[in-house]
Amino acid sequence: MKLDIASINDEDREFIVRYISRNWGSSVIVTRGKVHRTEELPGFVALMDREIKGIVTYNIYESDCEIVSLDNLSERCQKSRFQY
C-alpha cells in the first residue's frame, strides 16, 4: 500500500481537531509557554487509501520551526520493531 503525504486541508481539519481533543484531552496544546490552537496550526497528514494514518502539526516563529503534535493512527505501525 502506498503512503501519501499531503498538507492539512479544511476537510482534514475537523477530523484532526476531534482526534487531538479526544486523545490529548483538548484541542489546545501548550508548548514552551505558548498556546497553540489545533485548528490554526499548519501541518501534514499521511494518507493510505485516502484514510488518515498520521498527523504532524507545527508552528513557525521567526527562524524556528517547532513540531507541536505528532500522531500515528495506524495500528499496524504502533508496535516498535525493537522489543526490549
Side-chain angles (χ1 to χ4, degrees):
M1 292 186 181
K2 183 181 173 196
L3 188 67
D4 295 308
I5 306 297
S7 293
I8 293 173
N9 62 36
D10 291 337
E11 188 176 309
D12 302 327
R13 181 89 42 205
E14 186 179 327
F15 170 83
I16 292 167
V17 170
R18 278 194 327 265
Y19 178 86
I20 289 180
S21 293
R22 184 176 67 241
N23 290 282
W24 291 52
S26 173
S27 66
V28 175
I29 300 170
V30 179
T31 62
R32 299 180 183 184
K34 177 158 177 43
V35 176
H36 304 279
R37 301 194 183 291
T38 304
E39 59 273 10
E40 298 171 358
L41 291 171
F44 298 95
V45 290
L47 303 163
M48 190 175 292
D49 296 327
R50 297 184 181 174
E51 185 177 335
I52 296 175
K53 297 295 183 179
I55 304 164
V56 61
T57 61
Y58 63 91
N59 182 57
I60 295 178
Y61 178 73
E62 295 178 356
S63 63
D64 295 331
C65 179
E66 176 184 15
I67 301 291
V68 177
S69 69
L70 179 62
D71 293 277
N72 173 12
L73 285 68
S74 175
E75 292 178 23
R76 184 174 151 193
C77 295
Q78 288 183 4
K79 291 186 179 179
S80 173
R81 288 180 23 196
F82 304 101
Q83 303 272 330
Y84 295 98

